[in-house]
Amino acid sequence: MEMMSRYSIKLMRYPSKRFVKFLIVGGINTLFGYSMFALLILLKFSYENAALISTMCGILFNFKTTGVIVFKNKNNTLIFKFIGVYAIIYFMQIFLLKQLIAYKINIFLAEALILLPLALGAYTLNKIFVFPKSQPRKM
């Protein structure tokens, strides 16, 4: 019984500082990416191309801010893993947009609705595959 209460207490803890930093940095990154996506939609790009271009432009910006500020890691060789994570996020984005558009949801609202689930997915994938704690930090 005591073991169960320990796990309950751990589940009720506040989010880690790293996750809070990720949300703040992610907010800045999201503002950049969403603005670019919206601009490309207004310029009559398809949502697939708008998502691809905004994702590609955001990757370099996001890599440095996420790596250095959130995960305290300056290892530039991780960019390839980071790109892999965002390739997965891109395909998730297209899948979710396609589903919401099928229900006649406005493209701007659809993109806004999927931002949080995609951000949570990106954080989890980056934490596991790109910036694990045990990895040596390079300058």
Side-chain angles (χ1 to χ4, degrees), residues 34-51 97 107-108 111:
Y34 184 82
S35 298
M36 180 163 282
F37 176 82
L39 175 65
L40 293 169
I41 291 294
L42 291 172
L43 292 173
K44 306 295 185 208
F45 281 72
S46 70
Y47 71 86
E48 295 94 343
N49 287 333
L97 284 174
I107 187 69
F108 297 104
E111 179 70 8

Tab-separated table of all heavy atoms in Angstrom, residues 34-51 97 107-108 111:
chain	number	residue	atom	x	y	z
A	34	TYR	N	3.613	28.643	-36.658
A	34	TYR	CA	2.205	28.871	-37.010
A	34	TYR	C	2.064	30.109	-37.890
A	34	TYR	O	1.302	30.109	-38.851
A	34	TYR	CB	1.330	29.022	-35.758
A	34	TYR	CG	-0.132	29.164	-36.099
A	34	TYR	CD1	-0.905	28.043	-36.357
A	34	TYR	CD2	-0.720	30.413	-36.206
A	34	TYR	CE1	-2.239	28.160	-36.706
A	34	TYR	CE2	-2.042	30.544	-36.552
A	34	TYR	CZ	-2.812	29.420	-36.798
A	34	TYR	OH	-4.127	29.551	-37.145
A	35	SER	N	2.820	31.150	-37.583
A	35	SER	CA	2.774	32.368	-38.403
A	35	SER	C	3.201	32.072	-39.831
A	35	SER	O	2.578	32.539	-40.788
A	35	SER	CB	3.668	33.456	-37.801
A	35	SER	OG	3.214	33.812	-36.530
A	36	MET	N	4.261	31.283	-39.966
A	36	MET	CA	4.724	30.925	-41.299
A	36	MET	C	3.675	30.074	-42.025
A	36	MET	O	3.384	30.303	-43.199
A	36	MET	CB	6.054	30.189	-41.230
A	36	MET	CG	6.580	29.788	-42.592
A	36	MET	SD	8.298	29.379	-42.531
A	36	MET	CE	8.980	31.017	-42.497
A	37	PHE	N	3.098	29.088	-41.311
A	37	PHE	CA	2.056	28.236	-41.889
A	37	PHE	C	0.875	29.084	-42.362
A	37	PHE	O	0.413	28.946	-43.496
A	37	PHE	CB	1.585	27.203	-40.855
A	37	PHE	CG	0.449	26.344	-41.311
A	37	PHE	CD1	0.683	25.222	-42.100
A	37	PHE	CD2	-0.859	26.638	-40.956
A	37	PHE	CE1	-0.364	24.424	-42.530
A	37	PHE	CE2	-1.914	25.844	-41.383
A	37	PHE	CZ	-1.659	24.741	-42.167
A	38	ALA	N	0.405	29.980	-41.505
A	38	ALA	CA	-0.738	30.828	-41.850
A	38	ALA	C	-0.431	31.721	-43.049
A	38	ALA	O	-1.264	31.876	-43.954
A	38	ALA	CB	-1.151	31.667	-40.643
A	39	LEU	N	0.764	32.290	-43.068
A	39	LEU	CA	1.162	33.136	-44.193
A	39	LEU	C	1.157	32.343	-45.497
A	39	LEU	O	0.642	32.812	-46.520
A	39	LEU	CB	2.550	33.730	-43.942
A	39	LEU	CG	3.140	34.539	-45.102
A	39	LEU	CD1	2.310	35.790	-45.352
A	39	LEU	CD2	4.587	34.904	-44.810
A	40	LEU	N	1.695	31.139	-45.470
A	40	LEU	CA	1.736	30.319	-46.684
A	40	LEU	C	0.340	29.906	-47.130
A	40	LEU	O	0.056	29.862	-48.331
A	40	LEU	CB	2.631	29.094	-46.458
A	40	LEU	CG	4.118	29.428	-46.269
A	40	LEU	CD1	4.887	28.208	-45.792
A	40	LEU	CD2	4.720	30.000	-47.543
A	41	ILE	N	-0.554	29.631	-46.192
A	41	ILE	CA	-1.949	29.321	-46.543
A	41	ILE	C	-2.589	30.540	-47.200
A	41	ILE	O	-3.277	30.417	-48.218
A	41	ILE	CB	-2.753	28.871	-45.301
A	41	ILE	CG1	-2.282	27.498	-44.814
A	41	ILE	CG2	-4.259	28.866	-45.587
A	41	ILE	CD1	-2.544	26.336	-45.758
A	42	LEU	N	-2.355	31.720	-46.633
A	42	LEU	CA	-2.900	32.951	-47.220
A	42	LEU	C	-2.324	33.218	-48.610
A	42	LEU	O	-2.980	33.835	-49.456
A	42	LEU	CB	-2.637	34.146	-46.301
A	42	LEU	CG	-3.426	34.145	-44.994
A	42	LEU	CD1	-2.946	35.263	-44.075
A	42	LEU	CD2	-4.927	34.261	-45.257
A	43	LEU	N	-1.109	32.717	-48.833
A	43	LEU	CA	-0.483	32.856	-50.156
A	43	LEU	C	-0.906	31.733	-51.110
A	43	LEU	O	-0.332	31.564	-52.176
A	43	LEU	CB	1.040	32.896	-50.023
A	43	LEU	CG	1.606	34.128	-49.334
A	43	LEU	CD1	3.115	33.983	-49.107
A	43	LEU	CD2	1.304	35.389	-50.139
A	44	LYS	N	-1.899	30.951	-50.672
A	44	LYS	CA	-2.525	29.902	-51.495
A	44	LYS	C	-1.688	28.634	-51.665
A	44	LYS	O	-1.863	27.893	-52.623
A	44	LYS	CB	-2.937	30.444	-52.875
A	44	LYS	CG	-3.829	31.667	-52.830
A	44	LYS	CD	-5.153	31.365	-52.211
A	44	LYS	CE	-6.054	32.587	-52.288
A	44	LYS	NZ	-7.026	32.653	-51.259
A	45	PHE	N	-0.773	28.364	-50.725
A	45	PHE	CA	-0.064	27.090	-50.725
A	45	PHE	C	-1.032	26.022	-50.220
A	45	PHE	O	-1.924	26.312	-49.424
A	45	PHE	CB	1.143	27.138	-49.789
A	45	PHE	CG	2.348	27.839	-50.362
A	45	PHE	CD1	2.361	29.218	-50.516
A	45	PHE	CD2	3.476	27.120	-50.724
A	45	PHE	CE1	3.473	29.864	-51.027
A	45	PHE	CE2	4.599	27.757	-51.231
A	45	PHE	CZ	4.587	29.134	-51.387
A	46	SER	N	-0.861	24.783	-50.661
A	46	SER	CA	-1.659	23.690	-50.103
A	46	SER	C	-1.247	23.502	-48.646
A	46	SER	O	-0.135	23.862	-48.262
A	46	SER	CB	-1.411	22.390	-50.880
A	46	SER	OG	-0.098	21.910	-50.626
A	47	TYR	N	-2.119	22.923	-47.825
A	47	TYR	CA	-1.758	22.749	-46.420
A	47	TYR	C	-0.581	21.800	-46.253
A	47	TYR	O	0.232	21.970	-45.346
A	47	TYR	CB	-2.958	22.331	-45.563
A	47	TYR	CG	-3.470	20.928	-45.764
A	47	TYR	CD1	-2.924	19.858	-45.068
A	47	TYR	CD2	-4.510	20.670	-46.647
A	47	TYR	CE1	-3.392	18.569	-45.249
A	47	TYR	CE2	-4.991	19.386	-46.829
A	47	TYR	CZ	-4.433	18.337	-46.125
A	47	TYR	OH	-4.903	17.062	-46.300
A	48	GLU	N	-0.436	20.820	-47.160
A	48	GLU	CA	0.712	19.917	-47.086
A	48	GLU	C	2.022	20.680	-47.300
A	48	GLU	O	2.982	20.505	-46.556
A	48	GLU	CB	0.616	18.795	-48.128
A	48	GLU	CG	-0.534	17.839	-47.927
A	48	GLU	CD	-1.786	18.202	-48.716
A	48	GLU	OE1	-1.891	19.359	-49.185
A	48	GLU	OE2	-2.656	17.334	-48.859
A	49	ASN	N	2.040	21.535	-48.333
A	49	ASN	CA	3.252	22.316	-48.618
A	49	ASN	C	3.505	23.383	-47.563
A	49	ASN	O	4.645	23.630	-47.192
A	49	ASN	CB	3.185	22.941	-50.013
A	49	ASN	CG	3.375	21.918	-51.108
A	49	ASN	OD1	4.023	20.900	-50.900
A	49	ASN	ND2	2.799	22.165	-52.268
A	50	ALA	N	2.440	24.011	-47.085
A	50	ALA	CA	2.587	25.021	-46.028
A	50	ALA	C	3.166	24.376	-44.774
A	50	ALA	O	4.065	24.936	-44.131
A	50	ALA	CB	1.244	25.679	-45.732
A	51	ALA	N	2.676	23.191	-44.422
A	51	ALA	CA	3.184	22.481	-43.246
A	51	ALA	C	4.636	22.068	-43.463
A	51	ALA	O	5.466	22.198	-42.555
A	51	ALA	CB	2.314	21.261	-42.946
A	97	LEU	N	-4.438	17.029	-39.679
A	97	LEU	CA	-5.088	18.071	-40.484
A	97	LEU	C	-6.087	17.455	-41.459
A	97	LEU	O	-7.209	17.956	-41.621
A	97	LEU	CB	-4.057	18.904	-41.245
A	97	LEU	CG	-3.273	19.924	-40.436
A	97	LEU	CD1	-2.186	20.555	-41.301
A	97	LEU	CD2	-4.187	20.980	-39.846
A	107	ILE	N	-9.071	25.443	-41.740
A	107	ILE	CA	-7.661	25.055	-41.709
A	107	ILE	C	-6.891	25.769	-40.603
A	107	ILE	O	-6.044	25.174	-39.941
A	107	ILE	CB	-6.981	25.258	-43.094
A	107	ILE	CG1	-5.551	24.702	-43.103
A	107	ILE	CG2	-6.983	26.712	-43.515
A	107	ILE	CD1	-5.478	23.222	-43.015
A	108	PHE	N	-7.190	27.045	-40.358
A	108	PHE	CA	-6.495	27.792	-39.318
A	108	PHE	C	-6.850	27.249	-37.929
A	108	PHE	O	-5.989	27.081	-37.073
A	108	PHE	CB	-6.820	29.284	-39.402
A	108	PHE	CG	-6.363	29.906	-40.693
A	108	PHE	CD1	-7.273	30.200	-41.690
A	108	PHE	CD2	-5.016	30.189	-40.913
A	108	PHE	CE1	-6.860	30.770	-42.887
A	108	PHE	CE2	-4.597	30.755	-42.114
A	108	PHE	CZ	-5.517	31.041	-43.101
A	111	GLU	N	-5.243	23.683	-37.482
A	111	GLU	CA	-3.824	23.760	-37.111
A	111	GLU	C	-3.680	24.167	-35.643
A	111	GLU	O	-2.867	23.600	-34.916
A	111	GLU	CB	-3.078	24.749	-38.016
A	111	GLU	CG	-1.614	24.910	-37.697
A	111	GLU	CD	-0.742	23.709	-38.032
A	111	GLU	OE1	-1.203	22.744	-38.670
A	111	GLU	OE2	0.440	23.724	-37.641
